[in-house]
């Protein structure tokens, strides 16, 4: 037991299976850079405050920097018998500088250390994810610009509803992703609060300078309550909520891409570089990126559920259960980042088949609302207009006609108040152009929306 840094009171070694069961270094080794950064700031502060001798503080900092340099070269080997990343780093420090290493853990516990590391990690990853969302939005805005004149059948209930611009459709996802980014940025405010200095749970007896440590590490402030600091993981729940909501947006976009990529729709052709073949059917080209984004949204939701369930019923303050917070977090970070990157590439290389969309956009009486609106402008109450146009649609269905096949006389038979030249109002171009009110699909609105982002 003398092997363990906490082995003092133990007379018997840990059983192998327990060592295997309790270790976390196999995955929390990912926090190594943050653990070293945190320790360097802590050691500097201990020296500055005269809590440990200045020479030891300097020795510790140098030692940690040397270990970190070795890690960067890929030369650090983690040892599961040393339990977690924190114990591994401390052990390495002992090997590096000897006895002075024993002063590093003054005025600190792994309980405040671990959430300091996790928070540092999350601050970096939130910045990275925000950058990837920006990149993704750039691709969306480019696509909206590229296809600014293309008309798409807009759907409700998966039925043709009203024509919309393809650019309007793209910008809808841009709006969603901007809110996703805002959620991450807002979450970051609550992540960037330093827990170090809370000790195991009750605070510390030493005259530490937490504000100094916060500044050194890039935290915005220091936590107010030591119990709260070591007990709560709400900032991870919040991050995973933001991640889940983002993945749901991506999943819906992906689902549409899968549908639009079918031969039945034919709205989009995906590039070879983002599709895969079948091992048996030589003709196949599958939209696997879109399918996997859809599929991986399930993992991220599971990560959130896992973290919420983990905390439910935990008494104050730190409990070892909380060690299980890391894998869902890491999994969500990896999944979100890869999904954003792969989806952006798929979208950037996709070719939207605007002729097919255009043809479909004019089918199934998609401009019926425009006719009703024209009747309203002629003085009819909307409900009466709706009834007249409904009867006209029933006539068309019966005769197997589209609006395009109708003469103005046929229209006026059902809608006597229809203005002259009414057929002009029933084209998809006119329908789209007429929706100029704020937020509508008119070209001017889509253009403004695109320009604003550019
Ligand atoms: N590996 C632990 C975790 O991730 C670090 C904190 C351990 N604290 C303790 N008192 N055993 O939660």
């Amino acid at each position: 037991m003398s092997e363990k840094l906490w082995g003092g009171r133990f007379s018997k070694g840990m059983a192998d299976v327990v060592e295997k069961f309790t270790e976390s270094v196999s995955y929390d080794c990912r926090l190594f850079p943050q653990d070293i950064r945190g320790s360097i700031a802590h050691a500097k502060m201990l020296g500055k405050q005269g809590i440990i001798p200045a020479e030891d503080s300097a020795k510790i900092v140098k030692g940690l920097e040397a270990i970190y340099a070795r890690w960067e070269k890929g030369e650090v080997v983690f040892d599961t018998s040393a339990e977690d990343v924190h114990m591994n780093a401390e052990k390495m420090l002992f090997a590096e500088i000897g006895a002075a290493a024993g002063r590093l853990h003054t005025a600190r516990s792994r309980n405040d250390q671990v959430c300091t590391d996790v928070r540092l990690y999350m601050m970096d990853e939130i910045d990275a994810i925000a950058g990837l969302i920006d990149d993704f939005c750039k691709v969306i805005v480019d696509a909206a610009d590229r296809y600014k004149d293309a008309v798409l059948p807009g759907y409700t209930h998966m039925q043709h509803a009203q024509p919309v611009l393809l650019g309007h459709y793209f910008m809808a996802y841009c709006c969603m992703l901007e809110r996703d980014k805002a959620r991450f940025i807002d979450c970051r405010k609550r992540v960037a609060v330093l827990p170090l200095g809370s000790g195991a749970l009750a605070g510390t007896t030493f005259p530490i300078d937490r504000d100094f440590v916060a500044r050194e590490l890039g935290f915005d402030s220091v936590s107010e309550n030591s119990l709260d600091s070591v007990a709560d993981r709400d900032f991870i729940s919040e991050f995973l909520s933001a991640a889940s909501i983002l993945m749901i947006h991506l999943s819906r976009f992906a689902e549409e891409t899968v549908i639009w990529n079918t031969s039945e729709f034919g709205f989009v052709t995906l590039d070879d570089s983002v599709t895969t073949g079948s091992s048996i059917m030589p003709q196949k080209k599958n939209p696997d990126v879109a399918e996997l984004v859809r599929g991986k949204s399930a993992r991220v939701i599971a990560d959130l559920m896992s973290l919420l369930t983990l905390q439910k019923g935990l008494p104050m303050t730190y409990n070892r259960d909380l060690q299980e917070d890391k894998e869902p977090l890491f999994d969500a970070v990896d999944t979100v980042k890869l999904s954003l990157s792969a989806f952006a590439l798929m979208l950037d290389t996709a070719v939207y088949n605007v002729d097919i969309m255009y043809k479909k956009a004019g089918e199934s009486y998609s401009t019926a609302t425009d006719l009703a609106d024209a009747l309203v402008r002629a003085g009819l109450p909307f409900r009466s207009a709706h009834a007249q146009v409904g009867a006209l649609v029933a006539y068309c269905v019966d005769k197997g006609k589209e609006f395009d096949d109708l003469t103005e006389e046929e229209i006026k038979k059902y809608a006597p108040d229809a203005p002259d030249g009414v057929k002009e109002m029933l084209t998809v171009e006119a329908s789209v152009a007429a929706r100029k009110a704020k937020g509508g699909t008119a070209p001017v609105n889509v253009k403004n929306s695109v320009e604003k982002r550019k």
Side-chain angles (χ1 to χ4, degrees):
M1 279 327 285
S2 54
E3 291 280 295
K4 304 276 184 216
L5 290 170
W6 42 253
R9 66 155 291 170
F10 292 81
S11 54
K12 216 171 168 181
M14 188 187 260
D16 285 351
V17 64
V18 175
E19 200 161 280
K20 213 168 164 182
F21 186 64
T22 54
E23 71 85 21
S24 57
V25 70
S26 54
Y27 52 88
D28 68 16
C29 59
R30 193 194 277 230
L31 298 172
F32 191 73
Q34 288 79 15
D35 197 70
I36 297 291
R37 266 165 69 200
S39 287
I40 289 176
H42 183 67
K44 280 186 184 166
M45 183 277 291
L46 292 176
K48 179 182 84 72
Q49 296 297 96
I51 298 169
I52 65 172
E55 322 74 90
D56 284 349
S57 161
K59 230 176 166 180
I60 291 171
V61 170
K62 254 187 87 187
L64 290 168
E65 282 168 354
I67 296 167
Y68 184 71
R70 223 172 297 134
W71 176 83
E72 276 189 306
K73 283 191 258 161
E75 289 168 11
V76 162
V77 182
F78 294 98
D79 170 11
T80 49
S81 76
E83 206 172 302
D84 57 21
V85 65
H86 324 292
M87 297 297 218
N88 267 265
E90 203 174 319
K91 245 184 141 173
M92 286 173 212
L93 188 64
F94 268 105
E96 185 75 21
I97 64 167
R103 296 200 189 275
L104 172 62
H105 212 55
T106 315
R108 165 177 103 165
S109 153
R110 273 186 296 161
N111 296 355
D112 56 353
Q113 186 180 357
V114 66
C115 38
T116 301
D117 293 2
V118 171
R119 284 171 183 268
L120 279 172
Y121 166 81
M122 287 174 68
M123 282 151 72
D124 290 346
E125 293 299 350
I126 287 174
D127 293 343
I129 289 169
L132 288 171
I133 295 177
D134 280 344
D135 295 345
F136 193 84
C137 284
K138 260 179 226 146
V139 171
I140 295 180
V141 170
D142 280 353
D145 200 25
R146 201 159 51 245
Y147 293 108
K148 57 177 167 294
D149 303 321
V151 186
L152 164 79
Y155 297 86
T156 61
H157 313 270
M158 204 64 212
Q159 305 279 319
H160 282 202
Q162 292 169 344
V164 291
L165 287 181
L166 181 56
H168 197 51
Y169 162 85
F170 283 133
M171 293 314 287
Y173 281 108
C174 187
C175 291
M176 296 179 211
L177 282 154
E178 283 172 355
R179 289 194 297 277
D180 289 326
K181 180 181 162 185
R183 266 184 282 273
F184 280 110
I185 299 296
D186 198 62
C187 165
R188 194 188 191 284
K189 289 183 211 156
R190 285 170 290 282
V191 172
V193 180
L194 177 77
L196 201 66
S198 301
L201 76 165
T204 177
T205 55
F206 296 97
I208 56 173
D209 182 351
R210 298 184 67 198
D211 295 302
F212 170 84
V213 177
R215 274 195 305 278
E216 285 283 298
L217 294 174
F219 282 93
D220 296 338
S221 60
V222 305
S223 61
E224 183 183 329
N225 182 300
S226 61
L227 303 176
D228 172 38
S229 305
V230 298
D232 208 350
R233 297 292 183 270
D234 60 349
F235 59 102
I236 308 180
S237 308
E238 214 178 316
F239 173 88
L240 293 176
S241 303
S244 298
I245 297 170
L246 164 70
M247 288 303 294
I248 295 295
H249 287 150
L250 295 185
S251 182
R252 293 183 69 171
F253 199 172
E255 163 72 357
E256 236 139 37
T257 308
V258 171
I259 294 174
W260 288 12
N261 187 236
T262 58
S263 52
E264 284 74 12
F265 269 74
F267 285 4
V268 67
T269 306
L270 299 176
D271 194 67
D272 280 2
S273 63
V274 297
T275 46
T276 58
S278 158
S279 59
I280 171 170
M281 297 167 281
Q283 85 286 8
K284 291 275 276 182
K285 182 173 147 179
N286 297 325
D288 292 28
V289 168
E291 291 171 294
L292 279 171
V293 166
R294 193 176 56 189
K296 281 173 190 288
S297 66
R299 302 170 67 108
V300 177
I301 295 166
D303 292 332
L304 170 63
M305 290 310 122
S306 160
L307 205 86
L308 291 173
T309 314
L310 174 68
Q311 295 166 86
K312 178 187 174 298
L314 275 193
M316 289 281 253
T317 53
Y318 177 83
N319 298 272
R320 191 64 180 270
D321 313 46
L322 290 174
Q323 180 165 289
E324 294 289 316
D325 62 354
K326 283 162 212 69
E327 283 169 297
L329 171 64
F330 296 158
D331 182 68
V333 166
D334 293 343
T335 306
V336 161
K337 286 166 81 179
L338 265 175
S339 299
L340 281 167
S341 303
F343 205 140
L345 181 68
M346 178 175 71
L347 181 59
D348 208 25
T349 54
V351 175
Y352 285 81
N353 304 317
V354 297
D355 294 341
I356 297 176
M357 283 184 181
Y358 180 81
K359 195 171 160 287
K360 290 283 172 196
E363 291 177 1
S364 312
Y365 323 106
S366 63
T367 55
T369 317
D370 296 84
L371 179 54
D373 286 355
L375 298 177
V376 167
R377 276 190 294 274
L380 244 60
F382 183 77
R383 274 290 151 248
S384 316
H386 188 289
Q388 289 184 5
V389 179
L392 176 66
V393 169
Y395 164 78
C396 289
V397 171
D398 187 47
K399 297 281 178 252
K401 290 182 177 200
E402 285 288 341
F403 275 177
D404 210 28
D405 307 319
L406 296 175
T407 63
E408 209 161 301
E409 288 65 48
E410 277 174 297
I411 295 173
K412 284 186 174 172
K413 220 174 104 197
Y414 287 88
D417 294 307
D420 291 340
V422 65
K423 282 203 68 179
E424 292 304 301
M425 297 175 181
L426 304 185
T427 63
V428 294
E429 288 88 348
S431 171
V432 162
R435 284 173 170 72
K436 287 196 289 280
K438 239 185 198 173
T441 189
V444 57
N445 287 344
V446 176
K447 188 167 168 270
N448 285 341
S449 188
V450 167
E451 292 306 321
K452 194 169 100 187
R453 264 68 180 206
K454 279 189 167 176

